[in-house]
Amino acid sequence: MTILHIDSSARTEGSVTRDLSAQIVAQLGGNVIRRDLTDALPQITENWVNANFTPADQRDAVQRDTLALSDTLIEELKAADTIVIGAPVYNFGVPAALKAWVDLVARAGVTFKYSETGPVGLLEGKRAIIAVATGGTPVGSEIDFASGYLRHIMGFIGIHDVEVIAADRVMANGPVAIADAKAEIEKLAA
């Protein structure tokens, strides 16, 4: 099994999601592709959009270079059987670095396509496990715009087997929330 392990917390020390995602990866075992989003990914630009919508066989060298990082991130996704994402909730949503990753991997004709009935994900047969931690936002509540968004994005690109491991309301429930999340990790099967 190949695991793509993505961490998006700005904190490299003391991060609940980094700890949980590392435990998930250890529990599953396998070959690991590591992607740490601490060093922010670039935002998409007009040049990126224009390159993306130019047919691949018609792109010039500058356009190919513009899409090179996106292509690399997509290849990491394609190579993985399981995607493990550490996603803290910042201000009710995902960190900007994780949103930038989504923007770079959700590409029409590459990770999804449009059909007569709507978009169809092209990355079928994969699993995603998302480790979410919040300070005070209940995961799955009407003010949690992170876990539902990530579940939707995974489905949008074809990954429908999505599990959320939550350590929510850590500022209120601290050790209990983390212990509950760790207990859920112990139940994971490869």
Side-chain angles (χ1 to χ4, degrees), residues 128-183:
I129 304 169
I130 304 167
V132 177
T134 74
T137 303
V139 171
S141 72
E142 63 185 28
I143 61 172
D144 167 20
F145 300 103
S147 65
Y149 169 74
L150 290 171
R151 189 181 295 275
H152 175 79
I153 288 298
M154 291 294 107
F156 183 74
I157 62 175
I159 303 168
H160 301 288
D161 182 0
V162 179
E163 184 169 351
V164 174
I165 304 286
D168 60 350
R169 302 185 66 225
V170 171
M171 298 302 283
N173 299 328
V176 172
I178 295 168
D180 289 347
K182 289 180 178 184

Side-chain angles (χ1 to χ4, degrees), residues 4 73-81 83 101 105-107 110-113 120-128 153-161:
L4 172 57
L73 297 173
I74 290 168
E75 287 306 312
E76 291 173 354
L77 266 173
K78 288 180 176 179
D81 302 298
I83 295 86
W101 178 84
V105 301
R107 282 179 50 194
V110 183
T111 57
F112 72 93
K113 67 179 179 180
V120 176
L122 300 175
L123 300 179
E124 295 284 337
K126 297 179 184 296
R127 175 185 189 195
I153 288 298
M154 291 294 107
F156 183 74
I157 62 175
I159 303 168
H160 301 288
D161 182 0

Side-chain angles (χ1 to χ4, degrees), residues 56-102:
D57 61 348
Q58 296 175 25
R59 291 181 188 136
D60 62 29
V62 171
Q63 290 172 317
R64 286 189 300 275
D65 187 54
T66 299
L67 295 176
L69 176 58
S70 174
D71 291 338
T72 297
L73 297 173
I74 290 168
E75 287 306 312
E76 291 173 354
L77 266 173
K78 288 180 176 179
D81 302 298
T82 300
I83 295 86
V84 174
I85 302 174
V89 175
Y90 292 168
N91 301 313
F92 311 103
V94 298
L98 187 52
K99 174 62 169 77
W101 178 84
V102 167

